[in-house]
Amino acid sequence: GAGVSQSPSNKVTEKGKDVELRCDPISGHTALYWYRQSLGQGLEFLIYFQGNSAPDKSGLPSDRFSAERTGGSVSTLTIQRTQQEDSAVYLCASRHPGLAANEQFFGPGTRLTVL
Amino acid sequence: GNSVTQMEGPVTLSEEAFLTINCTYTATGYPSLFWYVQYPGEGLQLLLKATKADDKGSNKGFEATYRKETTSFHLEKGSVQVSDSAVYFCALTKSGSARQLTFGSGTQLTVLP
């Protein structure tokens, strides 16, 4: 597609359940990022992929959070045993390695609500 | 570590008013600086950027100048429109392979007709 896509757009889950969030980056963008946007914390970096490897996972808030990327394309962010404080909008962004000034293109986000 | 401090909102202006949203940063080295905008119901979009000191980024009538001496990147527009109503985020990236964005807290702008 023309832009970064994410699915689902909205997810409501019960506390303790696992959720998977998907990101499809722009074709050819080898760098992929996950961010979280919440009322209390603003926009926070979670994890960075270069190709299929994740050299920077420093923003993942706990070991309940994990992410993978396959084929240098689609990425999945998994949250296990969700808690109410996980409620937020999860944003994915991708970046072409050759673009100047490190411009990242963002998807529309997945709004996660944990009841 | 890196941080971005952004003017507290919300900001409400009348159409054709002058806009300034202040942004200051803390970073070692020479970061690249950005303004992103989030329109209601839409994703984050890059508004403008600057990669080195004294660079001026501009787009859609908005401008911001990279001031290393004051570690600032204030956003300005001479005459705002109702369609500029959105949340504005100042951000930076450091050089290096990861280049993740560090964001300010965002400023909600509402422009009234």
Side-chain angles (χ1 to χ4, degrees), chain A residues 33 35 37 48 56 101-102 104, chain B residues 34 36 97-101:
Chain A
Y33 304 80
Y35 296 88
Q37 186 175 21
Y48 158 68
D56 191 342
N102 320 322
Q104 296 180 26
Chain B
F34 304 82
Y36 276 83
S97 61
R99 301 178 184 172
Q100 66 266 38
L101 287 158

Side-chain angles (χ1 to χ4, degrees), chain A residues 61-75:
Chain A
S62 76
D63 59 7
R64 296 186 295 104
F65 287 71
S66 63
E68 65 174 12
R69 189 178 184 193
T70 56
S73 181
V74 171
S75 177

Side-chain angles (χ1 to χ4, degrees), chain B residues 55-105:
Chain B
D55 267 3
K56 178 185 283 187
S58 61
N59 186 26
K60 299 181 181 179
F62 290 88
E63 293 184 339
T65 301
Y66 189 146
R67 301 286 188 201
K68 190 171 187 297
E69 64 276 13
T70 55
T71 61
S72 65
F73 193 55
H74 304 322
L75 182 69
E76 296 182 336
K77 187 174 185 181
S79 176
V80 293
Q81 306 300 311
V82 172
S83 57
D84 294 327
S85 297
V87 182
Y88 292 81
F89 293 91
C90 186
L92 66 80
T93 63
K94 286 292 301 295
S95 60
S97 61
R99 301 178 184 172
Q100 66 266 38
L101 287 158
T102 298
F103 287 93
S105 56

